[in-house]
Amino acid sequence: MEDCLFCKIIAGEIPSAKVFENEDVYAFRDINPVAPVHVLIVPKKHLQSTEELTGKDDVLLGKMFEAARIVAKQEGVSGKGYRLVFNTGAEAGQTVPHLHMHLIAGKTLSWGA
Ligand code: AMP
């Protein structure tokens, strides 16, 4: 996608603090972290949000969760706890229309909407 911020980050056209990459997934630090650990786990394939996921994406989703486990371990939070979040649409706070999973950790997290 030509005008997609995360596609440009994945392509290396916009700099990012990469923490993990494989052939399907790219993970980098959120520029505006809400916790000591805040990583975005992004499929290289452009999908706008979870709304575009179908059964054909089951392997891709598995790879995103596998990347989350690897990143959590790398960041030293896998035994402590971490939150995985998908924001879908404007009212949920989605600001970048390229599917991404937030991995948030490094402190005791509160819960609220
Ligand atoms: P969301 O609000 O769920 O769409 O999440 C988008 C996230 O992308 C936000 O947490 C932003 O802080 C983050 N973000 C926006 N631009 C960049 C960037 N250039 N590098 C890293 N993270 C970014």
Side-chain angles (χ1 to χ4, degrees):
M1 272 279 285
E2 250 173 46
D3 265 333
C4 171
L5 172 63
F6 286 176
C7 285
K8 287 181 178 168
I9 285 177
I10 292 161
E13 293 164 18
I14 291 176
S16 66
K18 180 171 88 170
V19 296
F20 174 81
E21 181 176 15
N22 65 22
E23 62 176 349
D24 300 298
V25 176
Y26 189 86
F28 55 101
R29 295 195 191 284
D30 196 293
I31 205 167
N32 189 20
V34 299
V37 177
H38 188 169
V39 173
L40 301 172
I41 294 159
V42 180
K44 291 185 176 178
K45 172 183 171 182
H46 182 90
L47 293 164
Q48 195 141 322
S49 76
T50 59
E51 294 257 277
E52 289 190 352
L53 287 167
T54 70
K56 287 180 185 160
D57 298 307
D58 56 354
V59 172
L60 181 62
L61 266 179
K63 289 186 174 191
M64 289 178 72
F65 281 96
E66 184 179 35
R69 283 195 299 277
I70 292 167
V71 170
K73 200 168 183 187
Q74 275 179 199
E75 298 291 321
V77 298
S78 58
K80 297 177 183 167
Y82 53 93
R83 183 168 294 161
L84 300 174
V85 176
F86 288 92
N87 293 326
T88 302
E91 281 200 8
Q94 184 177 6
T95 57
V96 179
H98 181 130
L99 178 69
H100 53 280
M101 177 162 64
H102 296 256
L103 186 157
I104 298 165
K107 67 175 187 179
T108 300
L109 299 168
S110 58
W111 182 247

